[in-house]
Amino acid sequence: MEILKGKTVLITGGTGALGHVVAERFIQNGANVVTSYLFEDELKRLEESFKKNVTVIRADVSEEEDVAALFHQAMKKFNRVDILINIVGGFLPKTNIKDVATKDWDHMMNMNLKSVFLCSREFLQSLGKVTYGRIISMAAMPAIKPSAGKGPYAVSKIG
């Protein structure tokens, strides 16, 4: 797509299974791609071609200071971020809401919902007077069709 050539895309969770595919598509269409990661093992599973074409920055996107630093580094390298894609997320395996500890609930909400807020806010603040900007936030099937054992994940993704 010609419209993506030269645009800078920031993908939260671009080192994961879905994020990796999304990043590859943007690269194929000529975009600059920046992605966050949190754990070193996320980097180990990436092939070398991906690492060469993507700017990878460590950030906990549920932490305000990390989000600010992530955007600052992306802006420093590319002078702008045109597209934000919120993909990062995680879930509690087979957990019913009645059995969820408050700390686990908070973790789900921070990872899957607070991160979207923090990154979207930072993105909008970084736009300034730029007239082009897009935010794409990925949900998950349990957000559309909740099922037993996925309550906290479904609630956080619906948000």
Side-chain angles (χ1 to χ4, degrees), residues 64-80:
E64 198 166 357
E65 300 79 22
D66 281 18
V67 170
L70 172 64
F71 275 83
H72 175 76
Q73 290 178 56
M75 297 287 283
K76 187 175 179 181
K77 181 163 186 174
F78 296 109
N79 296 317
R80 66 189 210 208

PDB file of all heavy atoms in Angstrom, residues 64-80:
ATOM      1  N   GLU A  64       3.241   4.263  32.967  1.00  0.00           N
ATOM      2  CA  GLU A  64       3.235   5.575  32.314  1.00  0.00           C
ATOM      3  C   GLU A  64       4.625   6.037  31.863  1.00  0.00           C
ATOM      4  O   GLU A  64       4.789   6.519  30.741  1.00  0.00           O
ATOM      5  CB  GLU A  64       2.618   6.590  33.289  1.00  0.00           C
ATOM      6  CG  GLU A  64       2.164   7.851  32.659  1.00  0.00           C
ATOM      7  CD  GLU A  64       1.264   8.667  33.583  1.00  0.00           C
ATOM      8  OE1 GLU A  64       0.947   8.222  34.706  1.00  0.00           O
ATOM      9  OE2 GLU A  64       0.877   9.756  33.148  1.00  0.00           O
ATOM     10  N   GLU A  65       5.621   5.875  32.729  1.00  0.00           N
ATOM     11  CA  GLU A  65       6.970   6.336  32.395  1.00  0.00           C
ATOM     12  C   GLU A  65       7.560   5.539  31.237  1.00  0.00           C
ATOM     13  O   GLU A  65       8.237   6.098  30.372  1.00  0.00           O
ATOM     14  CB  GLU A  65       7.904   6.224  33.616  1.00  0.00           C
ATOM     15  CG  GLU A  65       7.479   7.041  34.816  1.00  0.00           C
ATOM     16  CD  GLU A  65       6.357   6.383  35.638  1.00  0.00           C
ATOM     17  OE1 GLU A  65       6.171   5.146  35.556  1.00  0.00           O
ATOM     18  OE2 GLU A  65       5.652   7.127  36.328  1.00  0.00           O
ATOM     19  N   ASP A  66       7.312   4.238  31.205  1.00  0.00           N
ATOM     20  CA  ASP A  66       7.807   3.399  30.113  1.00  0.00           C
ATOM     21  C   ASP A  66       7.153   3.775  28.788  1.00  0.00           C
ATOM     22  O   ASP A  66       7.807   3.793  27.749  1.00  0.00           O
ATOM     23  CB  ASP A  66       7.553   1.913  30.406  1.00  0.00           C
ATOM     24  CG  ASP A  66       8.563   1.311  31.359  1.00  0.00           C
ATOM     25  OD1 ASP A  66       9.264   2.063  32.070  1.00  0.00           O
ATOM     26  OD2 ASP A  66       8.651   0.067  31.403  1.00  0.00           O
ATOM     27  N   VAL A  67       5.865   4.073  28.822  1.00  0.00           N
ATOM     28  CA  VAL A  67       5.153   4.468  27.605  1.00  0.00           C
ATOM     29  C   VAL A  67       5.722   5.783  27.079  1.00  0.00           C
ATOM     30  O   VAL A  67       5.990   5.922  25.873  1.00  0.00           O
ATOM     31  CB  VAL A  67       3.636   4.572  27.850  1.00  0.00           C
ATOM     32  CG1 VAL A  67       2.923   5.203  26.660  1.00  0.00           C
ATOM     33  CG2 VAL A  67       3.059   3.188  28.143  1.00  0.00           C
ATOM     34  N   ALA A  68       5.944   6.736  27.965  1.00  0.00           N
ATOM     35  CA  ALA A  68       6.527   8.014  27.546  1.00  0.00           C
ATOM     36  C   ALA A  68       7.908   7.799  26.926  1.00  0.00           C
ATOM     37  O   ALA A  68       8.225   8.375  25.883  1.00  0.00           O
ATOM     38  CB  ALA A  68       6.610   8.972  28.734  1.00  0.00           C
ATOM     39  N   ALA A  69       8.722   6.949  27.531  1.00  0.00           N
ATOM     40  CA  ALA A  69      10.062   6.667  27.006  1.00  0.00           C
ATOM     41  C   ALA A  69       9.986   5.944  25.660  1.00  0.00           C
ATOM     42  O   ALA A  69      10.781   6.224  24.749  1.00  0.00           O
ATOM     43  CB  ALA A  69      10.859   5.830  28.014  1.00  0.00           C
ATOM     44  N   LEU A  70       9.053   5.029  25.517  1.00  0.00           N
ATOM     45  CA  LEU A  70       8.864   4.307  24.262  1.00  0.00           C
ATOM     46  C   LEU A  70       8.570   5.277  23.122  1.00  0.00           C
ATOM     47  O   LEU A  70       9.208   5.232  22.063  1.00  0.00           O
ATOM     48  CB  LEU A  70       7.716   3.296  24.419  1.00  0.00           C
ATOM     49  CG  LEU A  70       7.225   2.570  23.177  1.00  0.00           C
ATOM     50  CD1 LEU A  70       8.317   1.673  22.595  1.00  0.00           C
ATOM     51  CD2 LEU A  70       5.972   1.753  23.510  1.00  0.00           C
ATOM     52  N   PHE A  71       7.624   6.161  23.336  1.00  0.00           N
ATOM     53  CA  PHE A  71       7.275   7.140  22.304  1.00  0.00           C
ATOM     54  C   PHE A  71       8.421   8.113  22.063  1.00  0.00           C
ATOM     55  O   PHE A  71       8.697   8.484  20.916  1.00  0.00           O
ATOM     56  CB  PHE A  71       5.979   7.873  22.660  1.00  0.00           C
ATOM     57  CG  PHE A  71       4.755   7.132  22.227  1.00  0.00           C
ATOM     58  CD1 PHE A  71       4.244   6.112  23.012  1.00  0.00           C
ATOM     59  CD2 PHE A  71       4.130   7.430  21.038  1.00  0.00           C
ATOM     60  CE1 PHE A  71       3.117   5.402  22.612  1.00  0.00           C
ATOM     61  CE2 PHE A  71       3.008   6.730  20.626  1.00  0.00           C
ATOM     62  CZ  PHE A  71       2.495   5.712  21.419  1.00  0.00           C
ATOM     63  N   HIS A  72       9.095   8.517  23.126  1.00  0.00           N
ATOM     64  CA  HIS A  72      10.236   9.432  22.975  1.00  0.00           C
ATOM     65  C   HIS A  72      11.304   8.809  22.080  1.00  0.00           C
ATOM     66  O   HIS A  72      11.829   9.469  21.183  1.00  0.00           O
ATOM     67  CB  HIS A  72      10.803   9.787  24.354  1.00  0.00           C
ATOM     68  CG  HIS A  72      12.032  10.628  24.283  1.00  0.00           C
ATOM     69  ND1 HIS A  72      11.985  11.981  23.983  1.00  0.00           N
ATOM     70  CD2 HIS A  72      13.343  10.312  24.431  1.00  0.00           C
ATOM     71  CE1 HIS A  72      13.222  12.448  23.968  1.00  0.00           C
ATOM     72  NE2 HIS A  72      14.059  11.461  24.240  1.00  0.00           N
ATOM     73  N   GLN A  73      11.623   7.543  22.322  1.00  0.00           N
ATOM     74  CA  GLN A  73      12.649   6.870  21.515  1.00  0.00           C
ATOM     75  C   GLN A  73      12.200   6.697  20.065  1.00  0.00           C
ATOM     76  O   GLN A  73      12.998   6.874  19.141  1.00  0.00           O
ATOM     77  CB  GLN A  73      12.997   5.513  22.129  1.00  0.00           C
ATOM     78  CG  GLN A  73      13.767   5.645  23.437  1.00  0.00           C
ATOM     79  CD  GLN A  73      14.053   4.295  24.051  1.00  0.00           C
ATOM     80  OE1 GLN A  73      14.649   3.444  23.419  1.00  0.00           O
ATOM     81  NE2 GLN A  73      13.599   4.091  25.285  1.00  0.00           N
ATOM     82  N   ALA A  74      10.934   6.373  19.863  1.00  0.00           N
ATOM     83  CA  ALA A  74      10.416   6.236  18.495  1.00  0.00           C
ATOM     84  C   ALA A  74      10.462   7.573  17.771  1.00  0.00           C
ATOM     85  O   ALA A  74      10.870   7.649  16.604  1.00  0.00           O
ATOM     86  CB  ALA A  74       8.985   5.694  18.533  1.00  0.00           C
ATOM     87  N   MET A  75      10.069   8.643  18.465  1.00  0.00           N
ATOM     88  CA  MET A  75      10.086   9.987  17.877  1.00  0.00           C
ATOM     89  C   MET A  75      11.519  10.435  17.583  1.00  0.00           C
ATOM     90  O   MET A  75      11.783  11.073  16.568  1.00  0.00           O
ATOM     91  CB  MET A  75       9.395  10.983  18.805  1.00  0.00           C
ATOM     92  CG  MET A  75       7.929  10.705  19.049  1.00  0.00           C
ATOM     93  SD  MET A  75       6.891  11.066  17.650  1.00  0.00           S
ATOM     94  CE  MET A  75       6.813  12.837  17.753  1.00  0.00           C
ATOM     95  N   LYS A  76      12.422  10.084  18.473  1.00  0.00           N
ATOM     96  CA  LYS A  76      13.827  10.460  18.287  1.00  0.00           C
ATOM     97  C   LYS A  76      14.390   9.814  17.021  1.00  0.00           C
ATOM     98  O   LYS A  76      15.122  10.446  16.266  1.00  0.00           O
ATOM     99  CB  LYS A  76      14.634  10.036  19.516  1.00  0.00           C
ATOM    100  CG  LYS A  76      16.051  10.519  19.525  1.00  0.00           C
ATOM    101  CD  LYS A  76      16.726  10.155  20.840  1.00  0.00           C
ATOM    102  CE  LYS A  76      18.168  10.614  20.846  1.00  0.00           C
ATOM    103  NZ  LYS A  76      18.850  10.260  22.084  1.00  0.00           N
ATOM    104  N   LYS A  77      14.019   8.572  16.773  1.00  0.00           N
ATOM    105  CA  LYS A  77      14.542   7.853  15.611  1.00  0.00           C
ATOM    106  C   LYS A  77      13.837   8.245  14.311  1.00  0.00           C
ATOM    107  O   LYS A  77      14.474   8.411  13.277  1.00  0.00           O
ATOM    108  CB  LYS A  77      14.440   6.346  15.817  1.00  0.00           C
ATOM    109  CG  LYS A  77      14.993   5.573  14.646  1.00  0.00           C
ATOM    110  CD  LYS A  77      15.291   4.150  14.957  1.00  0.00           C
ATOM    111  CE  LYS A  77      15.982   3.523  13.748  1.00  0.00           C
ATOM    112  NZ  LYS A  77      16.434   2.188  14.004  1.00  0.00           N
ATOM    113  N   PHE A  78      12.503   8.392  14.340  1.00  0.00           N
ATOM    114  CA  PHE A  78      11.742   8.600  13.102  1.00  0.00           C
ATOM    115  C   PHE A  78      11.047   9.967  13.015  1.00  0.00           C
ATOM    116  O   PHE A  78      10.365  10.240  12.032  1.00  0.00           O
ATOM    117  CB  PHE A  78      10.701   7.485  12.934  1.00  0.00           C
ATOM    118  CG  PHE A  78      11.323   6.129  12.758  1.00  0.00           C
ATOM    119  CD1 PHE A  78      11.243   5.186  13.764  1.00  0.00           C
ATOM    120  CD2 PHE A  78      12.003   5.811  11.593  1.00  0.00           C
ATOM    121  CE1 PHE A  78      11.810   3.922  13.607  1.00  0.00           C
ATOM    122  CE2 PHE A  78      12.586   4.557  11.423  1.00  0.00           C
ATOM    123  CZ  PHE A  78      12.492   3.620  12.442  1.00  0.00           C
ATOM    124  N   ASN A  79      11.173  10.795  14.048  1.00  0.00           N
ATOM    125  CA  ASN A  79      10.572  12.133  14.092  1.00  0.00           C
ATOM    126  C   ASN A  79       9.050  12.138  14.178  1.00  0.00           C
ATOM    127  O   ASN A  79       8.456  13.208  14.243  1.00  0.00           O
ATOM    128  CB  ASN A  79      11.006  12.986  12.897  1.00  0.00           C
ATOM    129  CG  ASN A  79      12.478  13.254  12.921  1.00  0.00           C
ATOM    130  OD1 ASN A  79      13.045  13.562  13.964  1.00  0.00           O
ATOM    131  ND2 ASN A  79      13.127  13.100  11.780  1.00  0.00           N
ATOM    132  N   ARG A  80       8.432  10.988  14.151  1.00  0.00           N
ATOM    133  CA  ARG A  80       6.972  10.939  14.265  1.00  0.00           C
ATOM    134  C   ARG A  80       6.507   9.495  14.431  1.00  0.00           C
ATOM    135  O   ARG A  80       7.221   8.560  14.109  1.00  0.00           O
ATOM    136  CB  ARG A  80       6.307  11.539  13.034  1.00  0.00           C
ATOM    137  CG  ARG A  80       6.557  10.730  11.787  1.00  0.00           C
ATOM    138  CD  ARG A  80       6.073  11.463  10.586  1.00  0.00           C
ATOM    139  NE  ARG A  80       5.651  10.518   9.563  1.00  0.00           N
ATOM    140  CZ  ARG A  80       5.700  10.791   8.288  1.00  0.00           C
ATOM    141  NH1 ARG A  80       6.129  11.963   7.874  1.00  0.00           N
ATOM    142  NH2 ARG A  80       5.287   9.912   7.413  1.00  0.00           N
TER     143      ARG A  80
END
